Amino acid sequence: MSVLVDSDTRVVVQGITGGEGKFHAEQMMDYGTNVVAGAVPGKGGQEVNGVPVYDTVHEAAREEDADASVVFVPPAFAGDAVFEALDAPLDLVVAITEGIPTQDMAKVNKRLSEVDTRLIGPNCPGIITPGEAKLGILPGNIFESGDVGLVSRSGTLTYQVVDNLTSRGIGQTTAIGIGGDPIIGTDFIDALELFEADPDTKAVVMCGEIGGEDEEEAARYIAENMDTPVAGFIAGRTAPPGKRMGHAGAIVSGSGTGTAESKINALNDAGVPVGDTPNEVADHIEDFL
Amino acid sequence: MSVLVDSDTRVVVQGITGGEGKFHAEQMMDYGTNVVAGAVPGKGGQEVNGVPVYDTVHEAAREEDADASVVFVPPAFAGDAVFEALDAPLDLVVAITEGIPTQDMAKVNKRLSEVDTRLIGPNCPGIITPGEAKLGILPGNIFESGDVGLVSRSGTLTYQVVDNLTSRGIGQTTAIGIGGDPIIGTDFIDALELFEADPDTKAVVMCGEIGGEDEEEAARYIAENMDTPVAGFIAGRTAPPGKRMGHAGAIVSGSGTGTAESKINALNDAGVPVGDTPNEVADHIEDFL
Amino acid sequence: MRLHEYQAKSVFADAGIPTPDATLASSVEEVVEAAEEIGYPVAVKAQVHVGGRGKAGGIKLAESRDEAEEAAESIIGMDLKGYHVDRVLVEEAVDFKNELYVGVTMDRGEGKPVAMVSTKGGVNIEEVAEEDPDAIAREHIDPAFGMHPYQARKAVYDAGVPRELARDVASVLQTMYQLWDDRDASEVEINPLMVTEDDEIIAADAVMNIDDDALFRQQELAEMEEETFEDDLERKAGEYGFDYVRLSGNVGIIGNGAGLVMTTLDLVDYYGGEPANFLDIGGGAKAERVANALDMVFSDENVDAVVFNIFGGITRGDEVAKGINNALEQFDEIPKPVVVRLAGTNAEEGREILNDELVTVEETLEDAVQRTVEYSEEEAQ
Amino acid sequence: MRLHEYQAKSVFADAGIPTPDATLASSVEEVVEAAEEIGYPVAVKAQVHVGGRGKAGGIKLAESRDEAEEAAESIIGMDLKGYHVDRVLVEEAVDFKNELYVGVTMDRGEGKPVAMVSTKGGVNIEEVAEEDPDAIAREHIDPAFGMHPYQARKAVYDAGVPRELARDVASVLQTMYQLWDDRDASEVEINPLMVTEDDEIIAADAVMNIDDDALFRQQELAEMEEETFEDDLERKAGEYGFDYVRLSGNVGIIGNGAGLVMTTLDLVDYYGGEPANFLDIGGGAKAERVANALDMVFSDENVDAVVFNIFGGITRGDEVAKGINNALEQFDEIPKPVVVRLAGTNAEEGREILNDELVTVEETLEDAVQRTVEYSEEEAQ
């Protein structure tokens, strides 16, 4: 089993006629994802990889009975694209785009509180249920179907950890890249809640990083609500305060909030072992299974 | 019994230091309304009629445990005053102010969908539960406690109808002036729902007027949901299309929507007798009781 | 407040919406001069607040200097549905292959603005709405967020606007919403939005109505208001601060509160009379307002009798009675019979004060209206 | 992007927020001239992006021409926490009885902006937040509606701002939110907002940070960016379009993806090395980007060894390998040892291509980092 996506998920690719959109639509389809439509204003009536393109997400959703979308739209227009998907409405929107202005995301965040749609991202690699479907840019070949749920703020770090798992024969139920921006849709707690409710997920990896207090809050959530064991990893132990480490959200503020130390302590206090290396995370998961 | 307000309702008067606010605060208190505070920015610490004034509604609500407010704030600032009361949050806000820009009210309307607070008005005479409390500018002396609920888009027309009732010895549970603007908080259906749920309300008077389609929708609601008998009155039978008859909301559009005829027909179809004169409305109510 | 076509077009043009070349003119000479400058064909369009100007002869096409002169002569100075035409807009006549409709208005039922697009432009959109509602794409706007760009696109695609025009029409719609929002409009509309052979779009007409209640913060637009075009009595009402609507009958009606005044009108009709006006003096009226109200209805030549119906809430009956006495005592002879009905706060005191040599006093609304209708019938004879 | 104080003040002043008389100066003569013009006392303030300028000697008060000269001489050209001071703001020194704090920033946890007011201005607000959190009034803003006027008032009253100042401070806060919103700011702050003896308020300092991701639509502000003030290597990273942070160690680090690069840094530290930098080449990197990245770390004199850690998702291992080979083949001698670790998409193909005369190839992240740390220790000796 899995959370959020599987081979039945009917996916619209927003921005399917762009370079990235086209490439990844093909990759997703190759992986088995049920891509049913593209949506690009002004390109309605075209086809990309045999998939029909519509001018609006509403039309794509209506005509193709889609329930999810993946957003590959340039940052200046991506906030609007997410609004369009939320209002279509779809059940799930995965925003890959990096560099959406924060104030655009604050407005999206407000709308999210008004609708039932779930947003993953932005600035994220997407979500994958190995062997069923991937919505995003994750390299399908490193994943394997199995018992471990994974949630991460980072893209390639996720691949690293997954590689450490898969190479030991530990597969995944679903892996969710929640993204590295300060304001995101699905957060750790949302993802952990899904995994806790999924009977097939026997253990969870949570990859955090410096910045914000989401990991601390997740730790509290785990302590209070989770039976499924969780192992953690926190990137950015050596990051100096005030410097943004790539991700817009990965910054230790001047006042000292958002440090790796605070997050690791919180997780440890919640009974979550935190690996010093990605490989150690796999050790902990192996112990759980 | 009554709906929405009674002698326990703890009322803040917004704009209590202005001419109208001060006058009506006194009138309300004379009637027995439990006015516990005033709120006027910059006037905190003063007293009006022995009532303490606070700079913000939040403070007034917190310090005096208020649950309702009446807004006597000039139209340019009244939208903001309503937002303040909604966010305090209070349970009930009664906006008397006439002439609030429609776009301000559209924004208020949006916020109303997000909160549990009930707004009555704007551009309304307020609400009264005879013998208990009045929030607004209605002349208390014409009302009498009794069995009839009343809801009306108009002020003085309400008094006319009440006078016709009271002079026959027919008293009222609660009378609600919902206001004459195109965008209002509590509408006919909201008020009818309250009266239907109130065991002491044995009959209801609904005074509508030209403009919009609220009366038609109310008629459908009555037909489908109400056991309590309703008698109606519709003002503006002789109004020509395209002319605003005083109230911002009282206008028959060029396309012919909002006519008195359409409303009267809808009410008749729903089994609601509509009086040709206010006195005939009282006749119908007398028949019900 | 309704802007004239030429005013609305200038607001739209300043916001970047394409509009035809045009010049405002108020004499035949000016029209010809403008037409020569713009080049033929031109349209000569009466600038009055009247719907259906074209059918009523207020819009004429001119292919030549002679025709321009002719058009100007027939339109300037004409009476268009009761409005005197002082000025015309002389405008480049645009060759078009298609006419669209775009507009933004307030949807009362939803309590939010709605943007509308249709490929059936150039005709009365309300007729389209009735006969073929699906021909109009509607998009409701959340007023807190404003119009998302995708909503403009969606409305345009839903309406079936050809794909090659979609971007431009969506951009016009977005601009119109922005104007609607920034300028406190109650309605903005371009009908028709013409599509030329070259797939250019251009606003051939323009409607912009501003929320009167918001004029205090729309100074620039408020200054565009042109009193000269209004009915004299309605202008006077504006000066006095009354809600006033002129009607065609002979029974003058004064009251406090819109609903009660409307009801009084309805009762006049019910008892066989014909209302001459709607006049709401509002709440808490003092003596001066009462006198002004009487002045208003007395100034209306059509009025044969007046009913003065006050239900006191904030308004005190004795104050009103004093005001009526004072106002009427200044006349050697009361110009038209006045029937007064006072109820509510201090009504009895008021009735006692009223000088019944000057006015007829009645206790109930029904009696007051009936008596006034009788007077009006007597006077009319 | 962070605006300099003088830039932020000019933006604030244009929006109507009172700021002191001030002139930008870049020489001692200009400082003296400005000071004479403004009148003593003046403050001479270094214009560099450094917190705690005052304590570090970057702000000096001058009561006379001599003192102004002295201040200018000591500040202009000084090194302030690593930044060279080219310019100073010469500013009227305001007499004050009180210092307030006002600011707007993004509350990540809530995902919405928060306005803050405190009567404890003039000190580091983060210290106030820790020691006396109740001294800061916070008001969250719904970004769809923007700041309601009542929210500005509420924040001001909640903070305990004296009633006679409340209206002015609320107005400044409202303006600051508007700027925050209109200009895509991530932070706006006035600390201190001085209160004079006459109860006038004036912005004695000004902070305005703009969201880099929104600079594309903030052209006017983007043009204020002054490259000259930045670290040379960080400027180069900007030109190359890398996410780059310079650190104090000697192990150069290149990787793809922020989380993975951070993890590589952490592992360098874990194995006893010291990271020299954070360098994320991003997704889908092609040969040129790889060469640019190597150029970056080779240009850093502190770097003794380099680890190149790529986990291919979009990025293909063979592309990266080719890029590394090409870049290194141009050197007669490789300037510093490079350890490469490739994983993910086409990693095996990549490893096969890599020229192991130029680089050391490792299969696992742990091995690659350990090897690099060893090299760095050897080289450092």
Side-chain angles (χ1 to χ4, degrees):
Chain A
M1 241 184 68
S2 61
V3 303
L4 295 177
V5 299
D6 59 27
S7 53
D8 292 332
T9 308
R10 299 178 65 83
V11 180
V12 181
V13 176
Q14 295 181 251
I16 198 170
T17 56
E20 260 201 277
K22 192 171 173 182
F23 174 75
H24 286 292
E26 200 173 335
Q27 296 275 308
M28 286 189 267
M29 291 168 80
D30 287 351
Y31 192 73
T33 310
N34 192 8
V35 175
V36 297
V40 182
K43 310 280 179 170
Q46 299 186 5
E47 281 202 357
V48 171
N49 303 335
V51 168
V53 180
Y54 296 91
D55 291 306
T56 67
V57 176
H58 291 72
E59 200 183 351
R62 193 172 58 232
E63 296 298 320
E64 305 296 341
D65 206 18
D67 46 26
S69 85
V70 190
V71 178
F72 291 102
V73 170
F77 312 105
D80 187 50
V82 172
F83 268 108
E84 183 173 1
L86 296 182
D87 293 356
L90 303 175
D91 297 333
L92 176 70
V93 181
V94 181
I96 306 303
T97 311
E98 180 178 358
I100 302 180
T102 308
Q103 296 199 4
D104 292 2
M105 279 310 301
K107 293 199 177 79
V108 166
N109 189 51
K110 156 80 174 170
R111 177 74 94 207
L112 283 171
S113 72
E114 304 173 336
V115 297
D116 294 327
T117 306
R118 178 181 295 276
L119 171 69
I120 294 178
N123 189 17
C124 80
I127 175 170
I128 185 168
T129 292
E132 301 236 358
K134 73 161 178 166
L135 279 68
I137 61 172
L138 312 104
N141 58 305
I142 62 170
F143 293 87
E144 204 169 282
S145 187
D147 304 331
V148 176
L150 189 143
V151 53
S152 171
R153 276 170 71 184
S154 165
T156 46
L157 173 57
T158 311
Y159 313 160
Q160 174 67 48
V161 173
V162 166
D163 200 43
N164 289 340
L165 293 172
T166 301
S167 65
R168 300 180 188 210
I170 302 173
Q172 303 88 40
T173 47
T174 298
I176 309 175
I178 59 174
D181 272 5
I183 300 180
I184 53 175
T186 299
D187 63 14
F188 281 122
I189 294 176
D190 298 327
L192 292 170
E193 209 169 333
L194 290 166
F195 287 129
E196 174 71 8
D198 176 35
D200 289 349
T201 299
K202 309 291 188 214
V204 179
V205 175
M206 170 183 153
C207 291
E209 63 189 31
I210 52 163
E213 305 191 15
D214 281 6
E215 289 82 357
E216 286 86 337
E217 283 165 23
R220 277 192 291 280
Y221 174 83
I222 293 167
E224 287 166 19
N225 302 288
M226 284 188 76
D227 291 326
T228 313
V230 181
F233 186 78
I234 300 292
R237 299 169 183 224
T238 49
K243 294 285 186 181
R244 167 177 151 169
M245 304 303 271
H247 283 163
I251 182 164
V252 176
S253 84
S255 60
T257 65
T259 63
E261 193 188 354
S262 144
K263 293 168 192 299
I264 293 168
N265 288 343
L267 287 167
N268 285 337
D269 288 351
V272 175
V274 177
D276 283 330
T277 68
N279 210 26
E280 271 187 37
V281 179
D283 292 343
H284 292 304
I285 291 293
E286 207 160 41
D287 290 346
F288 291 149
L289 298 176
Chain B
M1 243 186 65
S2 61
V3 304
L4 294 178
V5 299
D6 59 27
S7 53
D8 292 332
T9 308
R10 297 177 66 82
V11 180
V12 180
V13 176
Q14 295 181 252
I16 198 171
T17 56
E20 259 201 279
K22 191 170 172 181
F23 174 76
H24 287 291
E26 200 174 334
Q27 296 274 310
M28 286 189 266
M29 291 168 79
D30 286 352
Y31 193 74
T33 310
N34 192 9
V35 175
V36 296
V40 183
K43 309 279 178 168
Q46 300 186 6
E47 281 202 357
V48 171
N49 303 334
V51 167
V53 180
Y54 296 90
D55 291 306
T56 68
V57 177
H58 291 72
E59 200 183 350
R62 194 171 58 232
E63 297 298 320
E64 306 296 341
D65 205 18
D67 45 27
S69 84
V70 190
V71 178
F72 290 103
V73 169
F77 312 104
D80 187 50
V82 172
F83 268 107
E84 183 173 1
L86 296 182
D87 293 355
L90 302 175
D91 297 332
L92 176 70
V93 180
V94 180
I96 306 304
T97 311
E98 180 176 357
I100 302 180
T102 308
Q103 296 199 6
D104 292 1
M105 279 310 301
K107 294 199 175 79
V108 166
N109 190 50
K110 156 80 173 169
R111 178 73 95 206
L112 282 171
S113 72
E114 305 173 335
V115 296
D116 293 328
T117 305
R118 179 182 294 275
L119 172 68
I120 294 179
N123 188 17
C124 80
I127 176 171
I128 185 168
T129 293
E132 300 237 357
K134 73 163 178 165
L135 279 68
I137 61 173
L138 311 104
N141 58 305
I142 62 169
F143 292 87
E144 203 169 283
S145 185
D147 304 330
V148 177
L150 189 143
V151 52
S152 171
R153 276 170 72 183
S154 165
T156 45
L157 173 58
T158 311
Y159 313 160
Q160 173 69 47
V161 174
V162 167
D163 200 44
N164 288 340
L165 293 173
T166 301
S167 65
R168 299 178 188 210
I170 302 174
Q172 302 88 40
T173 48
T174 298
I176 309 175
I178 59 174
D181 272 5
I183 301 180
I184 52 175
T186 298
D187 63 14
F188 280 123
I189 294 176
D190 298 327
L192 291 169
E193 210 169 332
L194 290 166
F195 287 129
E196 174 71 8
D198 176 34
D200 290 349
T201 299
K202 310 291 187 214
V204 178
V205 175
M206 169 183 153
C207 292
E209 63 189 30
I210 52 165
E213 305 191 14
D214 280 6
E215 289 83 357
E216 286 86 338
E217 284 165 22
R220 277 192 291 279
Y221 174 84
I222 293 167
E224 287 166 21
N225 302 288
M226 284 188 77
D227 290 326
T228 313
V230 180
F233 185 78
I234 299 292
R237 298 169 183 225
T238 49
K243 294 285 186 184
R244 167 177 152 171
M245 304 303 271
H247 284 164
I251 183 164
V252 176
S253 85
S255 61
T257 65
T259 62
E261 193 187 355
S262 144
K263 293 167 193 297
I264 292 168
N265 288 344
L267 287 167
N268 285 337
D269 288 350
V272 175
V274 177
D276 283 330
T277 68
N279 209 27
E280 270 187 37
V281 180
D283 292 343
H284 292 304
I285 291 293
E286 207 160 41
D287 291 347
F288 291 149
L289 298 177
Chain C
M1 173 198 166
R2 178 169 187 165
L3 267 60
H4 284 290
E5 178 192 4
Y6 78 91
Q7 295 170 326
K9 275 188 174 157
S10 102
V11 172
F12 286 12
D14 286 348
I17 295 174
T19 54
D21 261 8
T23 306
L24 193 66
S26 51
S27 69
V28 177
E29 295 69 41
E30 282 178 22
V31 169
V32 171
E33 196 183 323
E36 295 283 318
E37 171 92 21
I38 289 164
Y40 300 97
V42 296
V44 181
K45 304 163 93 177
Q47 298 299 291
V48 286
H49 293 310
V50 161
R53 282 175 303 171
K55 279 186 192 160
I59 300 180
K60 292 224 152 86
L61 201 72
E63 306 260 6
S64 65
R65 185 185 184 102
D66 282 356
E67 286 184 21
E69 220 173 277
E70 219 170 282
E73 276 163 1
S74 82
I75 298 176
I76 295 176
M78 83 183 284
D79 182 274
L80 203 64
K81 298 187 181 176
Y83 285 82
H84 184 262
V85 180
D86 282 330
R87 287 181 294 179
V88 294
L89 192 63
V90 185
E91 189 176 77
E92 166 196 15
V94 178
D95 242 1
F96 62 94
K97 64 174 181 187
N98 242 320
E99 296 180 303
L100 309 176
Y101 169 93
V102 291
V104 179
T105 188
M106 182 66 81
D107 182 335
R108 284 175 63 158
E110 295 285 326
K112 50 176 77 157
V114 60
M116 291 177 291
V117 179
S118 176
T119 54
K120 298 204 166 175
V123 293
N124 186 338
I125 198 66
E126 283 166 345
E127 278 170 26
V128 177
E130 258 174 47
E131 286 160 22
D132 186 6
D134 289 346
I136 305 172
R138 288 178 177 79
E139 188 72 20
H140 281 96
I141 312 302
D142 183 324
F145 286 99
M147 182 188 266
H148 299 289
Y150 88 82
Q151 295 188 289
R153 296 195 304 265
K154 177 169 179 287
V156 165
Y157 286 117
D158 283 354
V161 171
R163 197 166 280 118
E164 61 275 15
L165 296 172
R167 182 191 291 259
D168 288 347
V169 179
S171 158
V172 165
L173 187 58
Q174 187 89 47
T175 304
M176 287 179 75
Y177 180 80
Q178 208 51 56
L179 285 173
W180 190 87
D181 192 38
D182 291 346
R183 306 303 188 95
D184 274 303
S186 52
E187 190 166 17
V188 291
E189 184 180 280
I190 299 175
N191 187 20
L193 179 68
M194 283 180 175
V195 182
T196 69
E197 290 295 335
D198 308 333
D199 282 337
E200 303 285 329
I201 54 175
I202 190 160
D205 196 0
V207 169
M208 186 165 195
N209 297 336
I210 309 300
D211 179 1
D212 289 326
D213 289 334
L215 282 179
F216 70 88
R217 61 186 180 200
Q218 297 293 343
Q219 213 41 52
E220 198 191 334
L221 296 174
E223 282 164 13
M224 290 187 183
E225 189 146 31
E226 294 174 351
E227 301 289 353
T228 53
F229 283 61
E230 309 264 338
D231 178 290
D232 269 0
L233 273 169
E234 296 197 345
R235 192 187 62 223
K236 198 178 228 181
E239 282 166 13
Y240 285 152
F242 291 138
D243 274 320
Y244 177 85
V245 179
R246 194 174 185 178
L247 301 166
S248 56
N250 67 336
V251 178
I253 294 158
I254 302 172
N256 66 327
L260 186 61
V261 179
M262 270 191 275
T263 301
T264 313
L265 263 70
D266 294 347
L267 285 184
V268 166
D269 178 73
Y270 181 76
Y271 288 117
E274 277 186 69
N277 67 277
F278 168 102
L279 196 170
D280 178 6
I281 61 170
K286 292 281 193 297
E288 195 193 345
R289 278 182 82 72
V290 169
N292 289 345
L294 282 167
D295 177 44
M296 287 278 316
V297 286
F298 287 162
S299 316
D300 184 347
E301 290 173 3
N302 297 330
V303 168
D304 287 321
V306 178
V307 58
F308 208 120
N309 178 29
I310 297 293
F311 202 113
I314 326 173
T315 312
R316 288 169 47 185
D318 50 344
E319 280 276 354
V320 173
K322 270 186 227 159
I324 293 175
N325 287 346
N326 289 346
L328 294 182
E329 275 157 11
Q330 291 161 25
F331 289 96
D332 293 333
E333 196 184 353
I334 306 300
K336 317 184 174 182
V338 176
V339 179
V340 178
R341 182 260 182 161
L342 293 179
T345 307
N346 293 8
E348 216 159 314
E349 291 88 332
R351 281 196 297 272
E352 276 167 23
I353 295 171
L354 273 174
N355 182 340
D356 55 15
E357 289 179 14
L358 302 176
V359 301
T360 308
V361 181
E362 294 286 353
E363 263 201 52
T364 73
L365 175 56
E366 288 81 357
D367 289 349
V369 170
Q370 271 182 287
R371 175 64 67 96
T372 315
V373 170
E374 283 163 26
Y375 283 146
S376 74
E377 283 162 355
E378 287 164 19
E379 294 279 324
Q381 278 163 3
Chain D
M1 174 198 167
R2 179 170 185 164
L3 268 60
H4 285 291
E5 179 193 3
Y6 79 91
Q7 296 170 325
K9 276 188 175 157
S10 101
V11 172
F12 286 14
D14 286 348
I17 295 174
T19 54
D21 261 8
T23 307
L24 193 66
S26 50
S27 69
V28 176
E29 295 70 42
E30 282 177 24
V31 169
V32 172
E33 198 183 322
E36 295 282 318
E37 172 92 21
I38 289 165
Y40 300 98
V42 296
V44 180
K45 305 162 93 176
Q47 297 299 292
V48 286
H49 293 310
V50 160
R53 283 175 303 171
K55 279 187 194 162
I59 300 180
K60 291 223 154 85
L61 202 71
E63 305 261 8
S64 65
R65 184 185 184 102
D66 282 355
E67 287 184 20
E69 219 173 276
E70 219 171 282
E73 275 163 3
S74 82
I75 297 176
I76 295 174
M78 82 183 285
D79 182 274
L80 203 64
K81 299 187 179 175
Y83 286 82
H84 184 262
V85 179
D86 283 331
R87 286 180 296 179
V88 294
L89 192 64
V90 185
E91 190 175 76
E92 167 195 14
V94 178
D95 242 0
F96 61 94
K97 63 175 181 187
N98 242 321
E99 294 181 303
L100 309 176
Y101 170 94
V102 292
V104 179
T105 187
M106 182 66 82
D107 182 334
R108 284 176 64 158
E110 295 285 327
K112 50 177 77 158
V114 59
M116 291 175 292
V117 178
S118 176
T119 54
K120 298 204 167 176
V123 293
N124 185 337
I125 199 66
E126 282 165 347
E127 280 170 25
V128 177
E130 259 175 47
E131 287 161 21
D132 186 8
D134 289 346
I136 304 171
R138 288 180 177 77
E139 188 72 19
H140 281 96
I141 312 301
D142 183 324
F145 286 98
M147 182 189 267
H148 299 290
Y150 88 81
Q151 295 188 289
R153 295 195 304 265
K154 177 168 178 289
V156 165
Y157 286 116
D158 283 355
V161 171
R163 197 165 280 116
E164 60 275 15
L165 296 171
R167 181 192 292 259
D168 288 347
V169 178
S171 158
V172 165
L173 186 59
Q174 186 89 45
T175 304
M176 287 178 75
Y177 180 80
Q178 208 52 55
L179 285 173
W180 189 87
D181 191 40
D182 291 344
R183 305 304 188 93
D184 274 303
S186 52
E187 190 167 16
V188 292
E189 184 180 281
I190 299 175
N191 187 21
L193 179 68
M194 284 180 175
V195 182
T196 67
E197 290 295 335
D198 309 333
D199 282 337
E200 303 286 328
I201 54 174
I202 190 159
D205 197 359
V207 169
M208 186 166 196
N209 298 337
I210 309 300
D211 180 0
D212 289 326
D213 288 335
L215 281 179
F216 70 89
R217 63 187 178 198
Q218 298 292 343
Q219 214 41 54
E220 196 191 336
L221 296 174
E223 282 165 13
M224 290 187 184
E225 189 146 31
E226 293 175 351
E227 301 288 353
T228 53
F229 284 61
E230 310 263 338
D231 177 291
D232 270 359
L233 273 168
E234 297 198 343
R235 191 186 63 224
K236 198 177 229 182
E239 283 165 12
Y240 286 152
F242 291 139
D243 274 320
Y244 177 85
V245 179
R246 194 174 185 178
L247 301 166
S248 57
N250 66 338
V251 178
I253 293 158
I254 302 172
N256 66 329
L260 187 60
V261 179
M262 270 192 275
T263 301
T264 314
L265 263 68
D266 295 348
L267 285 183
V268 166
D269 177 72
Y270 181 74
Y271 288 117
E274 280 184 67
N277 67 276
F278 169 102
L279 196 170
D280 178 6
I281 62 171
K286 293 281 193 295
E288 195 194 345
R289 277 182 83 72
V290 170
N292 290 344
L294 283 167
D295 177 45
M296 286 277 317
V297 285
F298 288 161
S299 315
D300 184 347
E301 290 174 5
N302 298 329
V303 168
D304 287 321
V306 178
V307 58
F308 207 120
N309 178 31
I310 298 292
F311 203 113
I314 326 172
T315 313
R316 288 169 47 184
D318 48 345
E319 280 277 356
V320 173
K322 271 186 229 158
I324 293 174
N325 287 346
N326 290 346
L328 294 183
E329 276 158 10
Q330 291 162 27
F331 290 95
D332 292 334
E333 195 184 353
I334 307 299
K336 319 186 173 182
V338 176
V339 180
V340 179
R341 181 263 181 159
L342 294 178
T345 309
N346 293 6
E348 216 159 313
E349 293 86 331
R351 282 195 296 271
E352 277 167 22
I353 297 170
L354 272 174
N355 182 341
D356 55 14
E357 289 181 12
L358 302 176
V359 301
T360 308
V361 181
E362 294 287 353
E363 265 201 51
T364 72
L365 175 56
E366 288 81 358
D367 289 348
V369 169
Q370 272 182 287
R371 176 64 68 97
T372 315
V373 170
E374 284 163 25
Y375 283 146
S376 75
E377 283 161 356
E378 287 163 20
E379 295 279 324
Q381 277 163 5

